[in-house]
């Protein structure tokens, strides 16, 4: 249960589906309710697939390019810190690579569930590197099953949040979403710093 909660909390903080609500509403503002629900479903499915592939295949990609796990943790920590700082400063969408040009282009395409919603907005470099590191840290099959389970529950949570985007926007308001994003940003920043510190300790011990 501890590993499940740890994985879920870390991924939820990095992915920050609540922060994606305004962009989801903007990209689907002219869609019907049924179309919005379908987009939310496929965005969650895409997030799930990307995260699971990153978890199981990422280690072999690192070996192919000769990248050590500690270097990955430092790089991932920097990316996570950047995302956290972006949330705190209100420039998160820009740091996620969702420029105005990309947003405008997405309005005219039917695959917004994959990009920019699933990647790079939610399943970005931060969550990928986090899962690749966890694959190394938890070698037991039981632990891996728990992590996959937390990914599945997280994906369901992403779907429910995006499906309830209109309600959340009205209930929380713009200021409420911003406040929650600031809190999550602080947690994301702390996670990134912890990753960098742990990696530096491991490197200097060697």
């Amino acid at each position: 249960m501890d590993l499940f909660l740890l994985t879920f909390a870390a991924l939820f903080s990095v992915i920050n589906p609540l922060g994606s609500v305004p962009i989801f509403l903007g990209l689907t503002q002219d869609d019907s309710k049924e179309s919005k629900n379908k987009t939310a479903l496929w965005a969650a499915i895409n997030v799930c697939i990307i995260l699971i592939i990153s978890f199981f295949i990422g280690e072999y990609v690192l070996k192919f390019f000769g990248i050590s796990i500690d270097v990955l943790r430092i790089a991932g920590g920097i990316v996570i810190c950047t995302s956290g700082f972006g949330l705190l400063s209100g420039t998160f969408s820009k740091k996620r690579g969702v420029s105005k040009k990309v947003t405008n282009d997405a309005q005219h395409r039917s695959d917004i569930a994959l990009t920019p919603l699933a990647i790079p907005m939610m399943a970005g470099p931060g969550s990928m590197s986090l899962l690749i590191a966890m694959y190394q840290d938890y070698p037991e099959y039981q632990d891996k099953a728990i992590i996959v389970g937390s990914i599945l529950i997280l994906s369901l949570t992403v779907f429910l949040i995006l499906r309830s985007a209109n309600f959340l926007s009205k209930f929380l308001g713009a200021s409420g979403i911003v406040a929650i994003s600031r809190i999550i940003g602080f947690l994301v920043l702390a996670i990134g710093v912890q990753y960098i510190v742990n990696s530096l300790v491991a490197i200097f011990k060697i």
Side-chain angles (χ1 to χ4, degrees):
M1 182 59 70
D2 290 341
L3 177 58
F4 177 85
L5 293 175
L6 172 66
T7 305
F8 182 87
L11 286 176
F12 186 88
S13 298
V14 175
I15 290 176
N16 185 26
L18 286 173
S20 302
V21 166
I23 296 177
F24 173 80
L25 290 174
L27 293 174
T28 60
Q29 59 184 342
D30 297 325
D31 296 347
S32 64
K33 183 178 179 180
E34 181 181 353
S35 180
K36 288 181 180 180
N37 292 341
K38 183 178 179 181
T39 300
L41 175 62
W42 277 107
I45 291 174
N46 290 331
V47 167
C48 183
I49 293 173
I50 293 168
L51 293 182
I52 289 178
I53 290 176
S54 300
F55 182 58
F56 285 105
I57 307 298
E59 177 188 13
Y60 304 102
V61 175
L62 292 184
K63 288 181 178 178
F64 180 80
F65 288 104
I67 303 172
S68 71
I69 189 64
D70 289 319
V71 170
L72 176 77
R73 285 194 181 100
I74 293 175
I78 293 173
V79 172
I80 292 170
C81 285
T82 303
S83 298
F85 183 76
L87 282 169
L88 285 171
S89 61
T91 57
F92 186 63
S93 61
K94 294 180 181 178
K95 294 183 181 296
R96 284 244 166 146
V98 186
S99 63
K100 184 176 181 181
K101 181 180 178 181
V102 172
T103 302
N104 290 337
D105 180 59
Q107 294 277 10
H108 305 286
R109 294 184 291 123
S110 60
D111 59 346
I112 61 173
L114 176 61
T115 176
L117 284 176
I119 186 169
M121 281 203 58
M122 289 184 283
S127 56
M128 292 178 185
S129 59
L130 180 66
L131 286 170
I132 294 173
M134 293 188 78
Y135 186 90
Q136 293 275 348
D137 294 338
Y138 299 96
E140 299 295 330
Y141 289 112
Q142 182 179 355
D143 292 337
K144 285 179 169 50
I146 293 173
I147 292 172
V148 170
S150 67
I151 292 174
L152 294 175
I153 298 300
L154 175 72
S155 301
L156 176 61
T157 304
V158 168
F159 167 66
L160 293 176
I161 289 176
L162 293 182
R163 194 175 187 275
S164 307
N166 283 320
F167 171 76
L168 290 173
S169 179
K170 293 176 182 178
F171 179 74
L172 295 175
S175 59
I177 293 177
V178 168
I180 292 176
S181 294
R182 296 291 192 272
I183 295 171
I184 294 176
F186 181 77
L187 295 175
V188 170
L189 190 59
I191 291 172
V193 171
Q194 187 65 58
Y195 253 67
I196 295 173
V197 170
N198 290 345
S199 302
L200 291 175
V201 169
I203 290 173
F204 285 112
K205 275 186 178 180
I206 298 174

